[in-house]
Amino acid sequence: MAPTQNMADMVRARDRSSVDPARLQVLLWGGEEVLQSKQRIASLLSNDPAFDKSQKPYLTRIELYHRALAMTKRLYELKDQHGWSEEETHLAVHHLLGEPLPMTLHGVAFEPVVRSQGSPELKQELEELITNRGILGCYLQTELGHGTNVSALETTATYLSDTQEFEIHSPTLTSSKWWVGALGKTATHGVVQARLILPGGQDMGPHLFFVQLRSLEDHRVMPGITIGDIGPKAVGGYAPVDNGYARFDHVRVPRKCMLSAFAAVTPEGKYVQPPHAKLSYAGMMYIRSTMVISGGWTIAKGITIAIRYATVRRQGGKGADGLEHQVLTYPSLYYRLLPALARAYVFILLGRNLSSAFSAMLARLAAGDTSLLAEMHATTSGLKVLVTSVAIEDLETARRSMGGHGFSAFAGVGSIYADYLPAATYEGDNYVLDQQVVRAALKAYDALVVQENRPVVDLTPSTAYLRHLVAGTQDASASFSSQLGSWYDPKTSVSILERRAAAMVADRAQHAKEPDASSDQRVARAVSDAFVAAQVEELVRGTDNILGGREATVLKKLYLLASCSGAVHLLTAVEHGLSDILSCDLLPGHEGRANRARDLRMAVKRVCEDILPEAIGLTDGFGFTDWELDSALGRHDGNAYEELWNKTQSEPLNMAEVTEGYEEYIKPLLVRGHRLAGRSKL
Amino acid sequence: MAPTQNMADMVRARDRSSVDPARLQVLLWGGEEVLQSKQRIASLLSNDPAFDKSQKPYLTRIELYHRALAMTKRLYELKDQHGWSEEETHLAVHHLLGEPLPMTLHGVAFEPVVRSQGSPELKQELEELITNRGILGCYLQTELGHGTNVSALETTATYLSDTQEFEIHSPTLTSSKWWVGALGKTATHGVVQARLILPGGQDMGPHLFFVQLRSLEDHRVMPGITIGDIGPKAVGGYAPVDNGYARFDHVRVPRKCMLSAFAAVTPEGKYVQPPHAKLSYAGMMYIRSTMVISGGWTIAKGITIAIRYATVRRQGGKGADGLEHQVLTYPSLYYRLLPALARAYVFILLGRNLSSAFSAMLARLAAGDTSLLAEMHATTSGLKVLVTSVAIEDLETARRSMGGHGFSAFAGVGSIYADYLPAATYEGDNYVLDQQVVRAALKAYDALVVQENRPVVDLTPSTAYLRHLVAGTQDASASFSSQLGSWYDPKTSVSILERRAAAMVADRAQHAKEPDASSDQRVARAVSDAFVAAQVEELVRGTDNILGGREATVLKKLYLLASCSGAVHLLTAVEHGLSDILSCDLLPGHEGRANRARDLRMAVKRVCEDILPEAIGLTDGFGFTDWELDSALGRHDGNAYEELWNKTQSEPLNMAEVTEGYEEYIKPLLVRGHRLAGRSKL
């Protein structure tokens, strides 16, 4: 078969790209070893019928649920057969499969929370079972009537000192646990967030309790518990997962079932204080910390599909070759796609650093050192909001950039979007988390500027931008404009974004009594943008070390590209915040404000143009297989239109030339119409 | 049963509201008579089992397609039974049902295009059949390889003068017609957009041809044509519609099948010129014109659901009544929802005016007068982009405002979003339409400012903002700042939005050689914002007349609210465009830019606070029944949580306590885990 024009365009785009995707893959995957595991496992999965995706669009929710169970079972067979390590299994389940499974929450929420907060006794009993999925767990926090406001959860766990048991109870309909992944039909056990009530009636607020939900004999629901699935989700997202509800009717569990590594109840019913108020939120902080890297990979998928299709799609005026232009060459297209590509790189690399930092914090926490907790809380809250909000936008940008075809399920972005969408509201509603970011910023501002009781050198990474507010520091000493270089120097953007954050936090402190209605969102975004900007400078510097210095040419190109990507990211972050930046008079330049804004926008355009020939190489740098992307328009070989045609051939509606509904519905309509039109026969 | 807290909250909110929803319904529906039709038909449909929505979330695409056919058949039975007028039928099919049907495109695209562009001979033959659905039509424009760039469509219609026929042909895979609603399995006939090739080989570009697709005997596909469904759509949208593809293999149709009201081919094969180049786009212009009002009603649905749930949902700190606050009282919530509510009112009322203007233009077009065509093209293009972009955003804002529960299918916003989403790319991709808005604006700018050959008084409504650029006119004479009143006067926002548009068009003209990459989008938005702002002033003025002057109190309240809604709309439109407004130094005030921006934001907050007690009354003003909204969280009585619980009881996964998949998938996993953990038995 002769290659199509689409395929020829893709070959040419690859030829034009000067980067080596293999090198980029090592960088993005964090080393040769992980990359090889990834490639090996992805190849295994993509060739195993259990993981075939071709029928997915035609399955009902029950069928999708069963398919997810079948995939889960098969994953552990493969693990045993190929001797995957825990890391490799995690890679397969949580990353390569790219589809939500009921079991996902076992590894993400249930397992870490028991491990980090269970008492030694409970862990001793459960650890092996949990690790090996001998029990399947879920994490029951959200209730029908309460989500983000954890402190108002209604479920109670009343301590009965005579039997040394806790009695778990759902006093109202609204106290039903709700949205809990794997609870509906799968999980055998769960960790329940419930208000601890001491024998004297004292309400100690939410604590965690380990509860058996289903019998290990026959999987029936345990006495006193009512369990079900909460029904289908919006836009078809998360269909294979049995998010469930549960009500407890005075269900008793032994004292050891309280996760009491940090807060405990003595046999007599006395409460032992936790060393830090935020300790019980560490589980959610862990999940939030992983959402930076997963957000990056999510954008990566969507943007790879969009850039590939924009490379092979031709539309509009004709070029010198007599063909219409590739749409990726249109400014309105590359201006949308390339910054998203840059964000994917930034979030993946930033997310890896964050995971390391989280592990370090956890180690110190285990030793009783809570000093890093507040900083980690502020950082993960801010980044969770930023990354999930931006990733959802970027996915829709990718989908819409494909024009009408982007609305086909076969384009592949729609299902990624549908599964990713709840990230904006789960693990802390983004609007609520914004408040916490602002609160942390105001606290730091107060200590540094108002109380002056904290030296600038003690500023944490998440509050470093505040140094711009302190007179006498290097950054504040010179006049702002004279310090700023060209837009092509990342430092310019970093400096502006940090100053915007500082000015907005100061302004917010000034209007603390009555902020405007969107202040939380704008201030939180400014703070997170400043943090990410500073981190991008670090990331660019770190690239050399991660890749090693062996192949100088590739390294330099990578450095340049990473730097350009970073610059695009920073510049567009500045543009996003332009209204506040202008409000604060922070934009450099001398010829009137309109020209300054134009300078910035033209710089964004130039950097995009520089990266344009590398776009395909950079997306190849993510290393996605066609199986992973599952997209007709995002095929590696570019053969988009033929594949779109081929995919339609499996649509069930196409199995019969005349639809089943003809005799019953269509024909009577036509007969009626003919009759009314005065025609005797069809 | 005692009323729940949710229900009590809803009763109290209704009590607090001072507007009469019935009056608002008359305004929004355009009169008592239409409103009564609406209520009568909605009541009929909601009580007819054919239109039951309870099983919808659980149906496959084929089942949804059959359900749609069944509903269509039933609709025409009801029409015959109750003697609905054409208008009432249109109301039922295109509005009240609120679900896309295969047949929708017959009425929206096929019927109008044959009616407006068919030759008298063809119309004579078809009109009665089309009106009565004796044939079912579709509109075949988009191809696999070409969408928005209509001039590059590949399908050909070659005139053969010996037989006086056109030969319709698809020369390539990419020339396959694609995305055509009702083509896949339903339509019997279609209007095909194809390049007219004259006998000499001259290519006259795209023209329209009437083609029979399926036999009226047995519904089989006509010889030489290949037809199929293009498969499922993203995020489950448009599932019941059989968007299809078609390939033509030298299919012949008689000469009369060319839609030749404006451009024709003589029997000898000579081309007769159309009087206006844009004539053949009138069909698409009609669809675009209807998208303003439908966008308004779409926002109305989403925002009604969100505001109702925000009224009964309590979360966060406790108030004087000992209950947590209603979330609608949080600034970050009402700031998102109330402006969207205002936009729903504005787009519905503005859309009704646009439809009247379109009818007027069509009447003049029929008389050969094309003078209104260019203005209508510019207006409908700009408004299509603005309304669809904003409506998609507002739906997602509404969904996300509901927190985690917004991601439940039972929340009801997800399916509205999924079905509405393609509006951003169909009927002209929004990014491409932006270019046309900018082109029209630059043309008007050139005539007025550069060539000075057009007097200010001749400016059309879509270019009226340009008067600010002409010296000596009233608006430009006084200094800008001194003219501006308070933010509480709508004129302030209108003036700023018009000046922004004027300044940005002038700036764009200045940088015509190299605009920045997002210039088209920003300039088009500025132009459309200015147009809508001026229209809002008109709408507010017109409210008195539409409602009649009988009930002064209600009228005044309505006027105040409409004015407030308009003001919120205008103010937030200003805020949306703040970066460009600041760039152009257009924001009034004297105390530094930050304070001026704060003044505006505080004004938005104040206006929102004024409207807040009326929010439920204003949403009741849309007159939606529970059947129309199909939302557990948006119930009229507010009983959100009980309804959410009730809905879950029909989820198929809940029909068995132990899932089918237990023995096959879950049990083996548990056994394996126990074995690896060294436990002998489960």
Side-chain angles (χ1 to χ4, degrees):
Chain A
M1 191 192 68
T4 58
Q5 179 64 45
N6 289 160
M7 293 162 84
D9 283 335
M10 189 57 85
V11 169
R12 202 172 310 129
R14 288 220 165 82
D15 286 348
R16 250 197 324 247
S17 172
S18 73
V19 294
D20 178 357
R23 290 277 150 199
L24 292 170
Q25 286 169 26
V26 173
L27 171 70
L28 289 167
W29 284 92
E32 279 286 359
E33 205 179 329
V34 188
L35 177 61
Q36 282 174 16
S37 292
K38 184 263 165 186
Q39 288 168 339
R40 192 164 24 85
I41 297 171
S43 164
L44 258 175
L45 300 186
S46 63
N47 290 305
D48 190 308
F51 306 102
D52 170 57
K53 299 179 181 178
S54 66
Q55 292 308 302
K56 228 175 67 170
Y58 313 119
L59 302 181
T60 63
R61 241 200 103 203
I62 286 199
E63 290 165 341
L64 286 167
Y65 172 68
H66 285 143
R67 175 175 171 273
L69 291 180
M71 291 195 294
T72 307
K73 184 185 168 205
R74 184 68 186 137
L75 279 166
Y76 284 93
E77 285 171 5
L78 289 172
K79 171 183 161 64
D80 294 346
Q81 195 178 326
H82 297 278
W84 292 346
S85 67
E86 283 309 312
E87 289 70 27
E88 286 173 321
T89 312
H90 191 272
L91 190 68
V93 176
H94 294 281
H95 195 118
L96 294 181
L97 197 60
E99 300 184 44
L101 296 178
M103 287 276 300
T104 309
L105 272 289
H106 178 106
V108 173
F110 177 74
E111 189 168 14
V113 88
V114 174
R115 197 163 280 163
S116 63
Q117 299 189 44
S119 66
E121 183 190 1
L122 194 71
K123 284 202 286 187
Q124 168 78 19
E125 187 179 328
L126 296 174
E127 197 145 29
E128 283 292 301
L129 276 176
I130 292 176
T131 304
N132 293 298
R133 276 62 180 163
I135 61 176
L136 299 177
C138 60
Y139 181 71
L140 303 93
Q141 178 168 305
T142 311
E143 296 174 358
L144 179 54
H146 284 96
T148 303
N149 186 15
V150 174
S151 66
L153 292 172
E154 295 179 78
T155 306
T156 53
T158 307
Y159 185 67
L160 310 168
S161 44
D162 50 348
T163 58
Q164 299 197 14
E165 288 173 313
F166 293 99
E167 190 174 84
I168 313 288
H169 186 59
S170 312
T172 58
L173 174 73
T174 50
S175 72
S176 308
K177 292 295 174 183
W178 210 264
W179 277 110
V180 183
L183 169 61
K185 307 310 288 182
T186 315
T188 60
H189 294 72
V191 168
V192 178
Q193 183 87 256
R195 316 183 63 78
L196 169 62
I197 311 293
L198 297 181
Q202 203 186 347
D203 181 341
M204 305 306 294
H207 288 71
L208 300 174
F209 301 87
F210 178 81
V211 179
Q212 178 165 2
L213 302 169
R214 290 175 176 272
S215 156
L216 288 174
E217 297 294 326
D218 55 11
H219 214 240
R220 293 190 63 185
V221 176
M222 298 299 280
I225 311 182
T226 307
I227 285 183
D229 182 279
I230 62 157
K233 269 76 77 174
V235 299
Y238 259 70
V241 177
D242 54 329
N243 296 81
Y245 62 78
R247 295 190 68 170
F248 300 92
D249 183 8
H250 301 91
V251 173
R252 294 196 180 186
V253 298
R255 195 178 68 93
K256 67 176 177 185
C257 287
M258 177 167 167
L259 300 198
S260 51
F262 302 122
V265 173
T266 65
E268 303 73 35
K270 289 233 153 52
Y271 187 66
V272 183
Q273 288 279 11
H276 193 289
K278 287 200 172 72
L279 263 187
S280 66
Y281 301 124
M284 199 174 264
M285 261 161 63
Y286 166 71
I287 301 183
R288 284 181 198 147
S289 77
T290 67
M291 289 173 80
V292 176
I293 198 163
S294 66
W297 282 111
T298 303
I299 299 173
K301 278 191 177 179
I303 212 67
T304 297
I305 292 170
I307 287 177
R308 284 182 179 170
Y309 181 52
T311 299
V312 304
R313 179 184 177 204
R314 292 176 174 274
Q315 191 106 188
K318 289 185 180 174
D321 55 3
L323 298 169
E324 291 172 278
H325 297 298
Q326 290 167 279
V327 299
L328 188 60
T329 62
Y330 290 111
S332 74
L333 238 291
Y334 66 64
Y335 169 79
R336 284 181 274 165
L337 298 183
L338 296 184
L341 174 65
R343 281 189 286 273
Y345 271 75
V346 165
F347 292 155
I348 290 170
L349 298 172
L350 181 56
R352 180 155 315 115
N353 292 352
L354 188 65
S355 294
S356 308
F358 191 87
S359 300
M361 184 207 71
L362 226 50
R364 283 171 62 172
L365 216 51
D369 173 1
T370 61
S371 61
L372 297 178
L373 207 53
E375 168 75 0
M376 185 56 71
H377 176 68
T379 305
T380 53
S381 299
L383 289 179
K384 188 271 180 184
V385 174
L386 178 73
V387 171
T388 57
S389 305
V390 162
I392 292 169
E393 270 175 37
D394 284 346
L395 284 176
E396 174 60 9
T397 295
R399 194 196 65 75
R400 224 177 277 189
S401 78
M402 297 189 281
H405 288 336
F407 191 57
S408 168
F410 301 141
V413 177
S415 62
I416 303 173
Y417 180 89
D419 288 338
Y420 190 74
L421 190 56
T425 42
Y426 65 49
E427 310 308 338
D429 183 289
N430 284 0
Y431 280 85
V432 177
L433 286 181
D434 279 337
Q435 296 167 17
Q436 307 198 15
V437 175
V438 172
R439 199 171 303 144
L442 289 175
K443 200 173 156 189
Y445 172 85
D446 189 65
L448 182 77
V449 179
V450 184
Q451 312 290 338
E452 297 187 58
N453 63 5
R454 186 176 180 179
V456 170
V457 290
D458 276 4
L459 287 172
T460 59
S462 77
T463 54
Y465 63 90
L466 287 171
R467 71 185 183 282
H468 293 285
L469 295 173
V470 178
T473 63
Q474 200 201 343
D475 285 313
S477 58
S479 105
F480 180 57
S481 284
S482 66
Q483 286 177 49
L484 281 169
S486 139
W487 286 115
Y488 299 94
D489 180 354
K491 281 196 175 52
T492 307
S493 299
V494 175
S495 175
I496 286 186
L497 288 168
E498 288 194 326
R499 281 164 195 270
R500 172 181 68 148
M504 286 181 68
V505 169
D507 182 72
R508 170 62 188 254
Q510 196 191 323
H511 296 106
K513 279 197 183 157
E514 185 166 47
D516 65 74
S518 64
S519 171
D520 281 348
Q521 280 61 60
R522 287 173 12 258
V523 172
R525 177 66 183 249
V527 167
S528 296
D529 278 345
F531 176 79
V532 171
Q535 295 296 309
V536 166
E537 273 199 292
E538 296 291 320
L539 285 175
V540 170
R541 271 198 288 277
T543 308
D544 271 357
N545 301 333
I546 293 169
L547 274 167
R550 295 188 307 275
E551 295 174 77
T553 318
V554 176
L555 273 176
K556 274 184 203 145
K557 280 179 186 159
L558 273 175
Y559 182 86
L560 178 67
L561 280 163
S563 158
C564 284
S565 298
V568 171
H569 171 74
L570 297 179
L571 290 174
T572 47
V574 169
E575 198 181 333
H576 183 92
L578 198 54
S579 60
D580 290 317
I581 288 163
L582 286 160
S583 292
C584 303
D585 253 336
L586 288 177
L587 203 60
H590 305 279
E591 304 167 64
R593 221 154 275 115
N595 285 324
R596 291 190 270 170
R598 178 171 159 86
D599 284 350
L600 164 59
R601 291 206 166 93
M602 291 309 291
V604 173
K605 193 173 178 182
R606 296 276 170 270
V607 176
C608 283
E609 285 167 350
D610 281 353
I611 293 176
L612 202 51
E614 311 292 354
I616 284 297
L618 286 166
T619 52
D620 286 348
F622 297 120
F624 292 121
T625 63
D626 281 343
W627 171 79
E628 282 172 273
L629 293 180
D630 191 28
S631 163
L633 302 185
R635 275 174 68 101
H636 186 265
D637 67 4
N639 201 16
Y641 293 132
E642 284 201 350
E643 181 70 2
L644 209 47
W645 175 275
N646 292 339
K647 289 249 190 195
T648 62
Q649 303 310 305
S650 57
E651 161 63 48
L653 274 170
N654 290 335
M655 297 305 123
E657 181 181 350
V658 176
T659 174
E660 260 185 81
Y662 170 65
E663 288 291 338
E664 191 172 355
Y665 307 118
I666 296 177
K667 193 173 178 184
L669 260 180
L670 296 174
V671 170
R672 170 193 172 275
H674 270 68
R675 180 172 46 75
L676 291 173
R679 311 289 176 101
S680 55
K681 62 163 197 142
L682 277 185
Chain B
M1 192 191 68
T4 58
Q5 180 62 46
N6 290 160
M7 293 163 84
D9 283 334
M10 188 57 85
V11 168
R12 201 172 311 129
R14 288 219 165 82
D15 286 348
R16 247 196 326 247
S17 173
S18 73
V19 295
D20 178 356
R23 291 278 149 198
L24 292 170
Q25 288 169 25
V26 172
L27 171 71
L28 290 168
W29 283 93
E32 279 286 359
E33 206 179 329
V34 188
L35 178 61
Q36 281 173 15
S37 293
K38 184 262 164 184
Q39 287 168 339
R40 192 164 24 84
I41 297 172
S43 164
L44 259 176
L45 300 186
S46 63
N47 290 304
D48 190 307
F51 307 101
D52 171 57
K53 299 178 182 180
S54 66
Q55 293 307 303
K56 230 176 66 171
Y58 313 119
L59 303 182
T60 64
R61 239 199 105 204
I62 287 200
E63 290 165 340
L64 287 167
Y65 171 68
H66 286 144
R67 175 174 172 273
L69 292 179
M71 291 195 293
T72 308
K73 184 185 167 204
R74 185 68 185 138
L75 279 166
Y76 284 94
E77 286 170 5
L78 290 172
K79 172 183 161 61
D80 294 346
Q81 195 179 325
H82 297 278
W84 291 346
S85 66
E86 283 309 312
E87 289 71 27
E88 286 174 321
T89 313
H90 191 273
L91 190 68
V93 176
H94 294 281
H95 193 117
L96 294 181
L97 197 59
E99 299 183 44
L101 297 178
M103 287 276 300
T104 308
L105 271 289
H106 178 105
V108 172
F110 176 75
E111 188 168 16
V113 87
V114 174
R115 197 162 280 165
S116 64
Q117 298 190 43
S119 66
E121 184 191 0
L122 194 71
K123 284 202 285 188
Q124 168 77 21
E125 186 179 329
L126 297 175
E127 198 144 29
E128 283 291 302
L129 277 176
I130 291 176
T131 304
N132 294 297
R133 276 61 179 165
I135 60 176
L136 300 177
C138 61
Y139 182 71
L140 303 93
Q141 178 167 305
T142 310
E143 296 174 357
L144 179 55
H146 285 95
T148 303
N149 186 15
V150 174
S151 66
L153 292 173
E154 295 179 76
T155 306
T156 53
T158 306
Y159 185 66
L160 310 168
S161 44
D162 50 349
T163 59
Q164 299 197 14
E165 289 174 311
F166 293 100
E167 191 174 84
I168 313 288
H169 186 60
S170 311
T172 58
L173 174 72
T174 51
S175 73
S176 307
K177 291 295 174 184
W178 208 265
W179 277 109
V180 183
L183 169 60
K185 307 310 289 183
T186 315
T188 59
H189 295 72
V191 168
V192 178
Q193 184 87 255
R195 317 183 62 77
L196 168 63
I197 311 293
L198 298 181
Q202 202 185 348
D203 181 341
M204 305 306 295
H207 287 72
L208 300 174
F209 301 86
F210 178 81
V211 180
Q212 179 165 3
L213 302 170
R214 289 175 176 273
S215 157
L216 289 175
E217 298 294 324
D218 55 11
H219 214 241
R220 294 190 61 184
V221 177
M222 298 298 280
I225 310 182
T226 307
I227 285 182
D229 182 278
I230 63 157
K233 270 77 77 175
V235 299
Y238 259 69
V241 177
D242 54 329
N243 296 82
Y245 61 78
R247 295 190 67 171
F248 300 92
D249 182 7
H250 302 92
V251 173
R252 294 197 179 184
V253 298
R255 195 177 68 93
K256 67 177 178 187
C257 287
M258 177 167 167
L259 299 198
S260 50
F262 302 122
V265 172
T266 66
E268 302 74 33
K270 291 232 154 52
Y271 186 66
V272 183
Q273 289 280 12
H276 193 289
K278 287 201 172 71
L279 264 186
S280 65
Y281 301 125
M284 201 175 260
M285 261 161 63
Y286 166 71
I287 302 183
R288 284 181 199 147
S289 77
T290 66
M291 290 172 80
V292 176
I293 198 163
S294 66
W297 282 111
T298 303
I299 298 173
K301 278 190 178 179
I303 212 66
T304 298
I305 293 169
I307 287 177
R308 284 182 178 171
Y309 181 51
T311 299
V312 303
R313 179 184 177 204
R314 290 177 175 274
Q315 192 108 188
K318 289 185 180 174
D321 54 3
L323 299 169
E324 291 171 280
H325 297 298
Q326 290 168 279
V327 299
L328 188 60
T329 62
Y330 291 111
S332 74
L333 237 290
Y334 66 64
Y335 169 80
R336 283 181 275 164
L337 298 183
L338 296 184
L341 174 65
R343 281 188 287 273
Y345 271 76
V346 165
F347 291 155
I348 290 170
L349 298 172
L350 181 55
R352 180 154 316 114
N353 291 352
L354 189 64
S355 293
S356 308
F358 191 87
S359 299
M361 183 207 72
L362 225 50
R364 281 170 67 169
L365 215 52
D369 173 2
T370 60
S371 61
L372 297 177
L373 207 52
E375 169 74 1
M376 186 56 72
H377 176 68
T379 305
T380 52
S381 300
L383 289 180
K384 189 270 182 185
V385 175
L386 178 73
V387 171
T388 58
S389 305
V390 162
I392 292 170
E393 270 175 37
D394 284 346
L395 284 176
E396 174 59 8
T397 295
R399 195 196 64 74
R400 224 177 278 189
S401 78
M402 297 188 281
H405 288 336
F407 191 57
S408 167
F410 301 140
V413 177
S415 63
I416 303 174
Y417 179 89
D419 288 338
Y420 190 75
L421 190 57
T425 43
Y426 67 49
E427 309 310 338
D429 183 289
N430 284 0
Y431 280 85
V432 178
L433 286 182
D434 279 337
Q435 296 167 18
Q436 306 198 15
V437 174
V438 172
R439 199 171 303 144
L442 289 175
K443 200 172 155 191
Y445 173 84
D446 188 65
L448 182 78
V449 178
V450 184
Q451 312 290 339
E452 295 187 61
N453 62 5
R454 187 175 180 179
V456 169
V457 290
D458 276 4
L459 287 172
T460 60
S462 77
T463 53
Y465 64 90
L466 288 172
R467 71 183 183 282
H468 293 285
L469 295 173
V470 179
T473 63
Q474 199 201 346
D475 285 314
S477 59
S479 103
F480 180 59
S481 283
S482 66
Q483 287 178 48
L484 282 170
S486 138
W487 285 115
Y488 299 95
D489 180 355
K491 281 195 176 53
T492 308
S493 299
V494 175
S495 176
I496 285 186
L497 287 168
E498 289 195 326
R499 282 163 195 271
R500 173 182 67 149
M504 287 182 68
V505 169
D507 182 72
R508 169 64 186 254
Q510 195 191 323
H511 297 105
K513 279 195 182 158
E514 184 166 51
D516 65 74
S518 65
S519 170
D520 282 350
Q521 280 61 59
R522 287 175 10 259
V523 173
R525 178 65 183 249
V527 167
S528 296
D529 278 345
F531 176 79
V532 171
Q535 295 295 309
V536 166
E537 274 198 292
E538 296 289 322
L539 286 174
V540 170
R541 270 198 289 276
T543 306
D544 270 356
N545 300 333
I546 292 168
L547 274 167
R550 294 188 307 274
E551 294 174 78
T553 319
V554 177
L555 272 176
K556 276 185 203 142
K557 280 181 186 156
L558 272 175
Y559 182 86
L560 177 68
L561 280 164
S563 158
C564 285
S565 297
V568 171
H569 171 74
L570 297 179
L571 290 174
T572 47
V574 169
E575 197 182 334
H576 183 94
L578 197 55
S579 61
D580 290 317
I581 289 164
L582 287 159
S583 292
C584 302
D585 252 335
L586 288 177
L587 203 59
H590 305 280
E591 304 167 64
R593 220 155 276 116
N595 285 324
R596 289 190 270 171
R598 178 171 158 85
D599 284 350
L600 164 59
R601 290 206 166 92
M602 292 310 290
V604 173
K605 194 174 179 182
R606 295 278 169 269
V607 177
C608 282
E609 285 167 351
D610 281 353
I611 294 177
L612 202 52
E614 310 293 354
I616 284 297
L618 286 166
T619 51
D620 286 348
F622 297 120
F624 293 121
T625 62
D626 280 343
W627 171 78
E628 283 172 273
L629 293 181
D630 191 28
S631 163
L633 303 186
R635 276 175 67 102
H636 186 265
D637 67 5
N639 201 15
Y641 293 131
E642 285 201 350
E643 181 71 2
L644 209 48
W645 174 275
N646 291 339
K647 290 250 190 195
T648 62
Q649 303 309 307
S650 57
E651 160 63 49
L653 275 170
N654 289 336
M655 297 305 123
E657 182 182 350
V658 176
T659 175
E660 261 185 81
Y662 169 66
E663 288 291 338
E664 191 172 355
Y665 308 117
I666 296 177
K667 193 174 179 183
L669 260 180
L670 297 174
V671 169
R672 169 194 172 276
H674 270 68
R675 179 172 44 77
L676 291 173
R679 310 287 177 102
S680 55
K681 62 164 198 141
L682 277 185

